[in-house]
Amino acid sequence: MSKADIIVGIQWGDEGKGKIVDRLAREYDVVCRSQGGHNAGHTIWVDGVRYALHLVPSGVLNKHAINIIGNGVVLSPTSIIEELKQFENLEGRLFISDKAHLNLPYHSLIDQAKERMKGDKAIGTTGKGIGPSYADKISRTGHRVGELLNPEKLANSIVENFKNLEPVMKALGIEIPTFKECLKDILEYKKSLEPYIADTTQMVWKALGEDKKILLEGAQGTLLDIDHGTYPYVTSSNTVSAGACTGLGISPKDIGKILGIVKAYTTRVGHGPFPTEDNGKAGDIMADVGKEVGTTTGRKRRCGWFDAVAVRHAARLNGCDSFALMKLDVLDGFETVKICYAYEKDGKEIDYFPTDLTKVTPKYETLLGWSSVKGVEKFEDLPKEAREYIGRIEELTGVKVEIISTSPEREDTIIL
Ligand code: IMP
């Protein structure tokens, strides 16, 4: 009986999970997504060809791996059908849980309209209907992927549900689709997706029983978790490692190694508190050098210094065994670099991540910067200052750094 390893984002997403998952996916037999939807996104280059992944797990690029989209994901049929066009037939290599909830076009319309109405109080969502589709799931008015197999019944049930939603949709100016329109879409979804629909829980259990190597690929980041993140400026799923259990139907005993992916500085897209945000020159440099633009929405990411308080908190929530430290090269050339080691709140120094982040100011320590780590492949070849920076991150967070990424290139990775 094997155990499933987890890769989890430690900050507000966009830590660079794609590069690590892409590298590790080759060593695994099964790669699974367990939460989120097409709000996630990363680009992978293989042999000069660009692949944009939103819902399909990264194991798709390893011809020997099976890919599973678990029950905890909200699945947009239109998005995945578009995504599948990049690949040859994936039948037998991709499986979608019949229990995953559907994210339908009206969910995006509701998401976008609600955001518009909130004005400056908007969350800054990706506009992909993630919140409204999870809301339907929790309200027990959602629809699941398995229902696509019975189109007339599903279309009827969706139209029935619109009766409850009618006042909301009218107020938001959203036109309600007719039964005929719904049925037409569902028939199309069924035609494209039927070969992939399966009871994936049974498949994962079987793979564990057969001692297969299983990788669970997290989406978004810990600080966007619906329970533990900076609510309400969060996404609508459990992004922490524990979410992978419910999102796939496995028990905590089935989990093996937990690898946290952490960026050498901090970024966030959308609104919400961000104690170490740097609105000055340093933040601009990180944004430019790190090409900090969202893959899914094209939005510019907010940037700032490494927040060891937030990372320590996230490491504990996830039970991280080790970290992959990403984008260290983006800090090349800074004369000094800063790490937030504590916060000041209500005149007191605190060393924990409080539920209420208002009136929190970061307390920094300053370290010497380094000229360049770009492309370095051995730890000993890193400049002394960069090694000290990594050492300090380990001390402050209590987690060992196992992988260091020194450029976007796949080979430029130090494995300790
Ligand atoms: P939603 O997930 O579209 O509802 O957006 C909620 C919040 O999560 C917003 O701040 C988004 O910017 C953020 N978010 C959602 N998905 C990602 C992601 O993959 N990377 C980074 N931030 C994300």
Side-chain angles (χ1 to χ4, degrees):
M1 184 97 173
S2 59
K3 292 201 183 283
D5 296 335
I6 302 189
I7 283 191
V8 63
I10 291 300
Q11 292 140 319
W12 279 284
D14 309 314
E15 297 90 354
K17 294 181 286 295
K19 176 172 165 176
I20 297 301
V21 176
D22 169 37
R23 202 187 152 107
L24 293 184
R26 280 145 236 266
E27 300 163 17
Y28 284 83
D29 306 307
V30 185
V31 184
C32 311
R33 273 281 303 273
S34 58
Q35 45 74 224
H38 63 310
N39 48 349
H42 60 258
T43 309
I44 293 182
W45 290 85
V46 180
D47 301 331
V49 184
R50 177 185 184 273
Y51 296 92
L53 300 182
H54 295 283
L55 281 159
V56 175
S58 305
V60 73
L61 300 169
N62 163 4
K63 290 211 162 35
H64 308 290
I66 298 274
N67 295 276
I68 290 180
I69 298 180
N71 57 277
V73 169
V74 284
L75 186 102
S76 157
T78 47
S79 172
I80 194 161
I81 290 170
E82 200 48 44
E83 200 174 328
L84 289 174
K85 289 183 186 157
Q86 302 172 95
F87 308 101
E88 281 172 27
N89 189 354
L90 291 181
E91 277 178 47
R93 288 190 50 218
L94 172 70
F95 298 93
I96 305 171
S97 167
D98 51 5
K99 293 197 282 271
H101 271 251
L102 289 167
N103 170 318
L104 296 168
Y106 67 89
H107 288 125
S108 299
L109 296 176
I110 294 176
D111 189 6
Q112 291 161 17
K114 282 194 166 171
E115 283 283 277
R116 274 196 303 275
M117 283 179 85
K118 281 187 188 147
D120 62 1
K121 297 211 167 53
I123 289 164
T125 70
T126 57
K128 305 287 182 189
I130 304 300
S133 45
Y134 275 117
D136 262 351
K137 170 178 173 173
I138 302 302
S139 311
R140 292 158 295 182
T141 50
H143 295 94
R144 309 205 283 186
V145 167
E147 293 175 60
L148 288 175
L149 303 179
N150 201 337
E152 297 236 342
K153 192 168 170 226
L154 174 57
N156 257 321
S157 176
I158 291 174
V159 170
E160 191 60 29
N161 194 28
F162 284 148
K163 288 188 189 147
N164 300 325
L165 286 173
E166 203 176 322
V168 179
M169 294 190 47
K170 272 206 172 129
L172 296 173
I174 301 170
E175 213 169 294
I176 297 178
T178 62
F179 171 81
K180 221 170 135 195
E181 286 164 338
C182 283
L183 184 61
K184 182 171 165 276
D185 289 346
I186 294 165
L187 287 169
E188 230 166 79
Y189 303 157
K190 177 178 184 252
K191 196 166 127 223
S192 304
L193 300 180
E194 186 167 8
Y196 304 112
I197 302 175
D199 179 345
T200 55
T201 305
Q202 298 288 338
M203 296 181 73
V204 179
W205 290 353
K206 187 162 176 278
L208 288 165
E210 288 172 354
D211 235 359
K212 294 270 194 294
K213 284 199 78 183
I214 304 179
L215 183 66
L216 313 183
E217 172 183 0
Q220 291 86 45
T222 301
L223 304 175
L224 289 171
D225 183 277
I226 182 74
D227 286 287
H228 299 286
T230 47
Y231 193 89
Y233 299 99
V234 291
T235 190
S236 299
S237 62
N238 281 117
T239 57
V240 292
S241 57
C245 291
T246 52
L248 279 164
I250 55 175
S251 97
K253 286 183 187 156
D254 292 317
I255 301 301
K257 186 174 162 178
I258 302 172
L259 175 67
I261 313 294
V262 56
K263 209 182 272 191
Y265 48 102
T266 316
T267 62
R268 159 158 222 177
V269 216
H271 305 149
F274 179 177
T276 63
E277 181 168 17
D278 187 299
N279 290 313
K281 209 168 146 215
D284 282 347
I285 294 173
M286 292 171 199
D288 285 349
V289 180
K291 299 195 175 58
E292 295 295 354
V293 177
T295 348
T296 302
T297 57
R299 288 180 295 175
K300 204 172 166 231
R301 297 180 188 137
R302 299 153 66 192
C303 295
W305 295 107
F306 189 89
D307 185 342
V309 182
V311 170
R312 188 162 59 230
H313 178 79
R316 177 65 183 85
L317 283 169
N318 289 295
C320 288
D321 292 302
S322 58
F323 282 154
L325 185 69
M326 310 305 292
K327 295 183 112 171
L328 186 63
D329 55 301
V330 173
L331 298 181
D332 283 359
F334 276 102
E335 230 163 77
T336 55
V337 286
K338 294 202 285 185
I339 300 183
C340 164
Y341 65 92
Y343 294 150
E344 191 170 305
K345 189 171 166 67
D346 302 324
K348 268 195 253 147
E349 182 174 309
I350 56 170
D351 63 358
Y352 61 89
F353 192 76
T355 305
D356 179 5
L357 276 176
T358 49
K359 297 202 198 116
V360 152
T361 39
K363 292 187 78 84
Y364 289 112
E365 58 187 46
T366 304
L367 283 79
L368 283 179
W370 53 87
S371 55
S372 173
V373 300
K374 201 156 194 84
V376 173
E377 289 175 32
K378 282 198 201 125
F379 187 75
E380 318 69 273
D381 295 341
L382 287 174
K384 180 170 131 285
E385 295 79 8
R387 278 184 273 141
E388 279 170 7
Y389 182 71
I390 297 165
R392 194 65 189 124
I393 287 177
E394 292 183 326
E395 273 166 19
L396 287 168
T397 60
V399 180
K400 279 269 164 224
V401 172
E402 183 195 350
I403 298 175
I404 302 157
S405 171
T406 56
S407 100
E409 302 302 322
R410 192 182 291 151
E411 316 75 60
D412 296 340
T413 308
I414 301 172
I415 315 260
L416 295 169

